[in-house]
Amino acid sequence: MITAIVFIQAEVARLSDIAEQIADIDGVSEVYSVTGELDLVAMVRVREIDDVAAVVADRLNKVDGVVSTQTQIAYRAYSQHDLEDAFSIGL
């Protein structure tokens, strides 16, 4: 599984509509509105690296109102939730 984190700048007046359109794209698992220089962050989870391009370049970037994106590819995940499950003794 490939996980990509996509930083999105979008038209602020239409942010909710843009976020919903992005969330409807196959391969996008979540979309967050965030504070700071970015407007949205999308999590993309796909099987192959070529699928990232299909989701981000071919679909997400073409959503009306998306101004720019920057994509980061995750190569390792660290989750407190996963660590707790791994060391749980079931009590």
Side-chain angles (χ1 to χ4, degrees), residues 10-18:
E11 294 176 10
V12 178
R14 301 181 45 232
L15 212 51
S16 292
D17 181 51
I18 295 165

Side-chain angles (χ1 to χ4, degrees), residues 4-10 22 31-32 34-35 37-44 56 60-61 66-73:
I5 301 98
V6 185
F7 301 148
I8 304 164
Q9 290 185 320
I22 293 169
V31 179
Y32 300 96
V34 296
T35 61
E37 294 182 25
L38 302 172
D39 298 308
L40 301 168
V41 173
M43 302 300 292
V44 174
V56 178
L60 192 152
N61 279 337
V66 170
V67 175
S68 67
T69 62
Q70 183 180 27
T71 303
Q72 310 294 317
I73 303 295

